[in-house]
Amino acid sequence: GINAEYGDTGEWAIPGGMVEAGDTVSATLRKEFGEEALASMEMPKKEQERVMKLTGELFKGAGTTLYRGYVDDPRNTDNAWMETVVVNFHDTQDLFSKFKLKAGDDAGAVSWISIDSSIKLYANHRSFIEAAVAHNKAHW
């Protein structure tokens, strides 16, 4: 799957971000994928439009929610904590092949990687990957 490595921890994570007021989870996923995995903010306007169209196709619909709730995140405190929504969007049209991955925003690197139990994943992203594997009847 596509994963981003974050410079502050050196761990791989599923691209994502904070849902802003008035946004949907789907819109946030689309935006964060573009910013973190495609460096869309650095693209010329015409390329941004092409990417927005493709990501719109990829993230249309609701996807399948695999998890919703508390996330074990190092930024949590006794008074504030992170909650997340993990959504599986399965690319049945081979749209990912049309993207050139490039790390942007707060991602230090981005890559297609084969995930196995030896890879160091951020917070409880391992459990999110396990949920996607089970949902898609894949192997781990």
Side-chain angles (χ1 to χ4, degrees), residues 85-135:
V85 179
V86 179
V87 182
N88 182 80
F89 287 90
H90 196 74
D91 180 14
T92 59
Q93 301 173 48
D94 199 28
L95 294 172
F96 279 119
S97 68
K98 296 178 173 137
F99 296 121
K100 181 179 178 193
L101 299 180
K102 180 181 177 188
D105 198 26
D106 55 347
V110 65
S111 180
W112 280 103
I113 59 173
S114 294
I115 306 256
D116 64 35
S117 59
S118 67
I119 205 153
K120 189 176 179 184
L121 294 171
Y122 184 76
N124 53 339
H125 284 219
R126 176 174 310 285
S127 65
F128 305 154
I129 297 293
E130 288 170 347
V133 166
H135 173 73

Side-chain angles (χ1 to χ4, degrees), residues 15-33 59 61-68 83-89:
M18 306 293 178
V19 177
E20 295 180 23
D23 274 354
T24 63
V25 171
S26 177
T28 298
L29 291 171
R30 178 182 178 193
K31 180 183 96 175
E32 293 293 336
F33 176 78
F59 294 112
T64 303
T65 300
L66 302 177
Y67 177 80
R68 180 184 301 269
E83 293 193 4
T84 195
V85 179
V86 179
V87 182
N88 182 80
F89 287 90

